[in-house]
Amino acid sequence: MSDSKKMTIIATKGTFDWAFPPFIIASTGVAMDKEVTIFFTFYGLNLLLKDTSKLRVSPMGNPAMPMKLPMGPKWLQKIDFGPKIPNIFWSLPFTEHLATYLMKKTMKKNGVATLNELRSMCQEFDVKFIACEMTVDLFGYNKDDFIDGVEFAGAATYFEECNGSDHNLYM
């Protein structure tokens, strides 16, 4: 085993709310002096697209999601509407847009980095991004659809990356 501490992450989810954990964990790993690789497969490929503006929060079937308003009187901002909203509500048109808008507004209010800022920071910190080549082909993407600096490889490459790794995470 080398002296270098390694961490690998498999990112499989591609919604706005699930975009942050792999990048937060990766940037934290780098800050802890780890060599970090993220392997993006299936819907996780969405996180590597040049245009992430279409990513939405996925509140459907997620009753644990807190839903607090980022604006209005303080007493109103403290109410967690999540458990009070039945899941059927999320099947109505545009509710994903509403949830995404509210999450982005809450993140901005709390000084949280945007998705593109966090992703760029990971690249600046030399986090290796690997897109699953089979899934790229399966979903009909072109390599030009993705941000610069992405490596395209198969699942076997992921296993080579995690060889000797201290942490292997699935998200």
Side-chain angles (χ1 to χ4, degrees):
M1 187 164 123
S2 69
D3 291 334
S4 173
K5 296 186 244 174
K6 291 174 65 175
M7 171 192 288
T8 65
I9 300 168
I10 299 175
T12 63
K13 296 174 179 66
T15 58
F16 182 79
D17 46 330
W18 277 99
F20 288 82
F23 296 123
I24 291 169
I25 297 294
S27 60
T28 302
V30 169
M32 297 177 73
D33 205 28
K34 292 186 180 294
E35 178 186 324
V36 181
T37 298
I38 308 176
F39 183 76
F40 298 86
T41 188
F42 277 77
Y43 312 119
L45 290 175
N46 290 338
L47 310 184
L48 295 177
L49 294 174
K50 288 178 183 173
D51 180 14
T52 59
S53 65
K54 294 178 183 142
L55 298 185
R56 302 282 176 252
V57 170
S58 59
M60 181 66 131
N62 189 1
M65 187 174 99
M67 289 292 297
K68 294 184 179 183
L69 295 176
M71 65 274 212
K74 293 285 183 198
W75 65 266
L76 187 60
Q77 291 182 40
K78 291 181 180 181
I79 299 172
D80 184 1
F81 291 97
K84 297 167 182 53
I85 299 173
N87 271 340
I88 189 101
F89 173 80
W90 299 115
S91 64
L92 297 174
F94 302 106
T95 54
E96 286 184 346
H97 294 274
L98 173 64
T100 303
Y101 168 78
L102 291 173
M103 180 173 271
K104 285 181 178 181
K105 191 156 180 77
T106 300
M107 292 172 81
K108 185 174 183 177
K109 176 183 171 185
N110 289 292
V112 175
T114 67
L115 173 57
N116 289 339
E117 290 170 343
L118 194 56
R119 183 175 70 179
S120 294
M121 182 174 43
C122 284
Q123 285 188 298
E124 288 173 25
F125 293 158
D126 294 324
V127 172
K128 185 187 281 188
F129 292 169
I130 302 175
C132 177
E133 202 159 31
M134 182 210 66
T135 311
V136 168
D137 294 341
L138 176 70
F139 289 159
Y141 287 120
N142 293 311
K143 292 182 180 178
D144 293 340
D145 295 331
F146 298 95
I147 59 173
D148 292 334
V150 174
E151 182 181 322
F152 296 87
T157 300
Y158 167 75
F159 285 105
E160 290 173 15
E161 286 291 324
C162 68
N163 188 22
S165 178
D166 299 316
H167 304 282
N168 301 300
L169 307 172
Y170 179 84
M171 299 182 169

